[in-house]
Amino acid sequence: MTNQNTTVSPLVLGAMSFGTLVDEETSFALLDRFVERGGIWIDTADCYSFWASETGHGGASEEVLGRWLAARPSARAQVRISTKVGAEPLWPGSWPERRTGLSPRAVRAAVDGSLERLGIDSIDMLWLHQEDRAVAIEDTVDALAELTADATVSRVGASNHPAWRIERARAHARSIGSVPIDAFQLNSTYLRTRPGTLPPGVAHPFGVLSDEQRDFARANGIEIWAYTPLLSGAYDNPEKPVPEVYDHPGSARRLAVLDEIAAARSLGRGQIVLAWQLAHGIRPILGGSKLAQLDVAMDAASISLSVEEIERLDEPV
């Protein structure tokens, strides 16, 4: 398999359901198409998808990726692999009360397991999947420092963490001369939830991109990756209603603007959402299960919104 596309896509392919809800043949087809269209980053986690697996444990997604990489000898040089540690259940049914967490020993063991399942010798981006208040963040950073020092890990990021803990982590990394966290992975889309609510599937109090996290990221050059940017298809699929937590007057206004701009351009609302995120420097993670969905989403990378369109979409609610 070779990538004939000379344009690098800023979009990320989310492999969360590979090996569980998405069968291996379809997973391979999605991976092949993603790379053919210039895709680089593939995102997974050691715990994907424990809630949909027969064993109650994760690992299926990484295993599918590992078999795809083995079957495509040239692929490893073309893609970057992003995986996460810390959220795997200690035993079936134990999440979220009992999970592997972010102790130095747990981080090292999780990375070793991911490397084996993926069949690779280094990870391009390692995420702390969700915060672990039972462990000092400095101890976790010390473990990450060992991994980056021996080139097992190239970059480190944090998902579902408050900004203040990331600042502590970055300060400690700088003090020991290590690689600091330089990426956030958070839930983010065009609509905003009502205050005090979380979107479906987000179990972390700091899992939704906030104005503070966005400001912190901008001030410190931290990359933002957005999970569930398309509300699992609700922007364009009438059979998938927009989740109730987004039901407020501000959403009605935002959806009206989104409708107008999408109609004027003869595009889907989801494509405008992705283009809007890209215009703000946010890297969306795509999680579809069909080639047609992937193609439509990847087309959004070539959409250039005008200043006026962005200003209309950005108007406060």
Side-chain angles (χ1 to χ4, degrees):
M1 180 194 64
T2 59
N3 183 355
Q4 302 299 323
N5 194 327
T6 58
T7 302
V8 174
S9 175
L11 301 171
V12 178
L13 181 62
M16 183 173 70
S17 297
F18 290 4
T20 49
L21 300 179
V22 179
D23 64 55
E24 188 155 319
E25 181 180 358
T26 303
S27 300
F28 276 35
L30 289 166
L31 288 159
D32 289 343
R33 180 66 60 83
F34 180 69
V35 174
E36 288 166 5
R37 297 207 53 180
I40 298 292
W41 281 105
I42 301 168
D43 184 67
T44 185
D46 66 342
C47 70
Y48 288 164
S49 289
F50 69 83
W51 55 92
S53 74
E54 295 180 355
T55 65
H57 283 293
S61 173
E62 290 182 330
E63 290 171 350
V64 167
L65 283 174
R67 290 191 287 272
W68 177 77
L69 288 168
R72 312 286 193 268
S74 64
R76 185 64 185 106
Q78 297 175 267
V79 300
R80 295 175 186 170
I81 302 298
S82 152
T83 194
K84 312 178 192 71
V85 298
E88 167 71 356
L90 286 178
W91 60 84
S94 70
W95 191 93
E97 289 80 11
R98 296 290 184 270
R99 49 191 171 82
T100 51
L102 297 175
S103 70
R105 178 182 296 180
V107 169
R108 184 80 232 193
V111 167
D112 288 344
S114 290
L115 291 172
E116 181 177 358
R117 286 186 292 273
L118 290 163
I120 58 179
D121 56 14
S122 64
I123 294 167
D124 300 300
M125 173 81 84
L126 181 69
W127 300 92
L128 307 180
H129 202 158
Q130 61 185 101
E131 64 171 333
D132 182 359
R133 298 263 175 125
V135 176
I137 193 69
E138 291 82 2
D139 291 345
T140 302
V141 171
D142 287 340
L144 296 174
E146 293 180 4
L147 293 166
T148 55
D150 66 12
T152 300
V153 169
S154 298
R155 295 175 59 191
V156 291
S159 181
N160 308 306
H161 278 66
W164 70 268
R165 281 180 71 83
I166 302 309
E167 175 56 25
R168 280 182 54 176
R170 285 169 54 84
H172 184 63
R174 289 192 296 267
S175 74
I176 62 175
S178 183
V179 176
I181 288 169
D182 70 353
F184 280 165
Q185 185 173 148
L186 297 158
N187 175 274
S188 178
T189 186
Y190 178 58
L191 298 181
R192 295 191 176 192
T193 62
R194 294 193 307 271
T197 65
L198 290 173
V202 178
H204 319 286
F206 302 101
V208 179
L209 178 64
S210 67
D211 290 338
E212 180 186 21
Q213 288 165 324
R214 188 193 300 267
D215 182 63
F216 179 79
R218 185 184 300 114
N220 291 278
I222 295 173
E223 196 171 286
I224 297 175
W225 293 26
Y227 65 81
T228 325
L230 298 178
L231 301 181
S232 301
Y235 284 111
D236 294 302
N237 187 345
E239 296 182 2
K240 292 186 176 181
V242 173
E244 191 264 343
V245 294
Y246 296 101
D247 185 10
H248 56 83
S251 289
R253 189 207 64 79
R254 287 203 146 200
L255 286 172
V257 174
L258 194 59
D259 280 335
E260 291 175 13
I261 293 174
R265 285 176 165 263
S266 299
L267 296 170
R269 295 197 303 188
Q271 290 180 305
I272 299 299
V273 170
L274 295 177
W276 174 79
Q277 287 189 319
L278 290 169
H280 284 292
I282 296 174
R283 192 187 288 271
I285 302 173
L286 309 177
S289 59
K290 297 180 175 61
L291 287 176
Q293 293 173 335
L294 179 62
D295 281 330
V296 168
M298 295 198 74
D299 287 344
S302 62
I303 299 169
S304 179
L305 296 174
S306 69
V307 172
E308 180 184 3
E309 287 171 326
I310 294 171
E311 288 177 347
R312 290 186 62 204
L313 290 163
D314 284 348
E315 287 178 6
V317 296

